[in-house]
Amino acid sequence: MTTLLVFGDSLSFHGPDGPHPVDDERLWPNRAATALGGQAELFAGFGWTARDAYWALAGDPRVWAQLPKADLLVLAVGSMDTLPSPLPTYLREGLRYLRPDPLRRWVRERYLAAQPWLARTLRGRPVALPPALTVRYLDRVLGSIRALRPDLPAIGVLPPVHRAGSYGFVHTGRPGGTAAVRAWGDQAGVPLLDLASLVGDHVLGGRGNPDGIHWGWEAHELVGKALADEAGALLDRPR
């Protein structure tokens, strides 16, 4: 049985109506695994960047348990890295720790209300994770795993598009992130799925989640099939 070890963000477990359990067969990691006659082991979270994937590898013993069993590594992170983040990440993520609860809700509501305006005013800068750091953490994940499993093939992704009002419909960070990850993939020998090409019409045509970022089941099917096709070619190669 083929086992896919997948590091992802919310695009890997969000459907047209919100988040779903990781074993939902309609999600693209499971569609790909099913097509390959295997299973997907998904490690993902809301807003995960390449840095979060590295932290999961370094600190989550559930990942360690899957490393000896994996037949393919899927680095499906880097998309959220390109989104506008008007507050530095440590401040934005630190809002959840504010106390008392009414203060936390008040601050969060006002930040979410200001975020679209700030994204437009600052022209999408800064982004959640700069391209140089995205590449650094992707390389750390790949290098750490290949130190233990040098024969393990890997596939990555290029960032998709969005039409999210919550980010002011701004995505000026995507070209730089795409270029950096593409260069890294060429250097590291990691093939990349171009998510923008696969799901762009779906997202920009309004057929995905109403939030303008996440996908409908049509896009999950497209990405799952593309991943299975690419993975099939990799797994057939001599190691």
Side-chain angles (χ1 to χ4, degrees):
M1 177 182 290
T2 302
T3 298
L4 309 184
L5 175 57
V6 184
F7 292 95
D9 48 38
S10 56
L11 295 174
S12 61
F13 62 86
H14 235 78
D17 53 353
H20 288 256
V22 295
D23 60 352
D24 191 311
E25 62 184 13
R26 297 169 293 180
L27 297 171
W28 66 259
N30 298 324
R31 285 185 176 273
T34 299
L36 294 167
Q39 64 182 14
E41 298 293 341
L42 174 62
F43 297 89
F46 293 100
W48 268 26
T49 64
R51 178 168 51 196
D52 293 291
Y54 175 74
W55 286 343
L57 173 64
D60 191 337
R62 296 172 301 165
V63 177
W64 310 341
Q66 296 304 322
L67 284 176
K69 309 172 189 176
D71 298 293
L72 177 71
L73 171 65
V74 182
L75 294 172
V77 288
S79 300
M80 301 300 168
D81 307 34
T82 66
L83 294 176
S85 181
L87 273 184
T89 300
Y90 69 92
L91 289 177
R92 175 170 45 82
E93 295 189 352
L95 295 181
R96 73 183 75 177
Y97 300 110
L98 286 175
R99 293 292 183 271
D101 291 347
L103 173 63
R104 183 187 71 248
R105 289 192 291 268
W106 185 87
V107 173
R108 179 174 173 78
E109 287 171 2
R110 276 146 186 80
Y111 174 69
L112 292 178
Q115 182 175 267
W117 179 82
L118 290 170
R120 291 191 297 270
T121 301
L122 300 174
R123 300 182 180 180
R125 300 292 192 273
V127 293
L129 195 68
L133 288 181
T134 296
V135 166
R136 180 191 300 179
Y137 283 108
L138 287 173
D139 208 50
R140 284 186 178 182
V141 173
L142 183 66
S144 298
I145 290 177
R146 283 189 169 168
L148 301 172
R149 296 286 313 279
D151 62 333
L152 186 66
I155 295 175
V157 301
L158 295 172
V161 295
H162 77 72
R163 58 190 295 271
S166 57
Y167 290 98
F169 304 101
V170 174
H171 203 180
T172 53
R174 191 178 77 83
T178 298
V181 174
R182 180 177 282 119
W184 170 81
D186 290 341
Q187 182 179 21
V190 175
L192 304 169
L193 296 182
D194 189 344
L195 296 181
S197 296
L198 289 169
V199 306
D201 290 343
H202 172 87
V203 173
L204 298 180
R207 302 197 301 275
N209 189 296
D211 65 12
I213 293 180
H214 299 99
W215 309 335
W217 300 125
E218 171 195 3
H220 279 272
E221 183 176 2
L222 290 171
V223 174
K225 182 180 184 305
L227 175 58
D229 290 345
E230 186 68 45
L234 279 180
L235 293 170
D236 286 342
R237 295 178 187 173
R239 302 196 188 179

